[in-house]
Structure formats: structure tokens, C-alpha cells
Amino acid sequence: MSALNTLVDDLVTKVFDNTLVSAAELSISATYKSVATGAYNPASGAITRTESDIAVKIIKRNENTTGIGGISGVSQASNTSSANENVDYLEFLVRPVSGVLPNQGIDDELTVDSKVYKILDVQSVNMGSTRILYKIKAIG
């Protein structure tokens, strides 16, 4: 890792640890549920699932409640049939979690203040070959 990558990584770590500026608390605690799907068992008709709850710090970027058709791409990602239903939409930043991100499973979730969000999209923000953080979109 180059010196600049190390410096940027250190600054981002301090932001997520809320230690960069003592008066500014930017990140909050959340729980990321990583769900890995396994093999299909024809005898039981079930697919095995392995779930892991990981404590993470997130920084909210965009949060709102809107009609299901009001967010680009959400109507295709949701199985909600009524166009009049509202959903909570959340965009957030999170630091890389070893063994979890970016290996997003189709059933991954994030819990923030007892609200559960379904992970829709994970995008990596890199500096050269160094993963700095992830931008994630979720609905709940």
C-alpha cells in the first residue's frame, strides 16, 4: 500500500471510529447479517443457509420513506405488489469487513435501531488496489 493509501485509510478509519473530530459523531452502530446460501437438499426441499451477525459502524448518506415506485430500481428489486405501499430507503457507507463484504449474499440484511433493511446493492470505493469503503443501498 502506498503512503497516500495508508494515509487515506487511516483518516477514513478515524472517521468511522468517531475519533477524527471529537465533537463530530458521524458513524453509528449497526448489525450486518451475512447470509450464505448452500446446497439444495432434495429430500427436505430446503436450501441450507448460514447466517453471521457482524457489528459494524455505518455512516448514513441518504435516508427516506417513499412509495415503492419512487426509487429507481427498487420496484424491480422488491416483491411488494402494491404501488401504494411505502418503503424506507437507506444509503450508507461502511468499512470493509473481512470475509463479508464485498461477498454480498442475496439475503444480506442490515439492522439499524431495530429497523431491518434488505441489502440491494454494494459498490466498492477503491484507491488503487486498496478498498477504502463500500457504498450500500438498502430498503426496509
Side-chain angles (χ1 to χ4, degrees):
M1 191 179 330
S2 75
L4 180 58
N5 287 15
T6 302
L7 178 63
V8 169
D9 191 55
D10 184 53
L11 287 172
V12 172
T13 298
K14 288 178 180 177
V15 169
F16 276 88
D17 289 342
N18 291 319
T19 59
L20 185 64
V21 179
S22 60
E25 188 172 307
L26 300 175
S27 69
I28 61 172
S29 296
T31 302
Y32 191 96
K33 179 183 283 187
S34 175
V35 181
T37 54
Y40 174 73
N41 182 338
S44 66
I47 297 175
T48 59
R49 293 169 42 118
T50 304
E51 298 180 357
S52 302
D53 288 342
I54 298 98
V56 294
K57 290 282 195 171
I58 67 166
I59 297 174
K60 292 181 180 180
R61 292 188 62 219
N62 185 11
E63 181 178 29
N64 61 42
T65 301
T66 187
I68 195 75
I71 303 169
S72 176
V74 171
S75 60
Q76 292 83 17
S78 173
N79 59 8
T80 303
S81 59
S82 172
N84 295 325
E85 288 189 40
N86 288 334
V87 295
D88 292 327
Y89 176 74
L90 177 65
E91 288 182 20
F92 63 96
L93 304 173
V94 66
R95 295 286 284 153
V97 178
S98 180
V100 177
L101 291 167
N103 301 323
Q104 177 209 354
I106 59 171
D107 294 323
D108 286 4
E109 297 175 346
L110 180 82
T111 304
V112 182
D113 298 327
S114 302
K115 175 73 177 168
V116 178
Y117 294 88
K118 177 86 171 149
I119 304 299
L120 297 177
D121 183 50
V122 178
Q123 296 177 353
S124 179
V125 177
N126 302 329
M127 190 166 181
S129 62
T130 305
R131 285 194 170 102
I132 302 296
L133 53 87
Y134 293 100
K135 295 190 299 187
I136 300 180
K137 296 177 184 175
I139 59 170

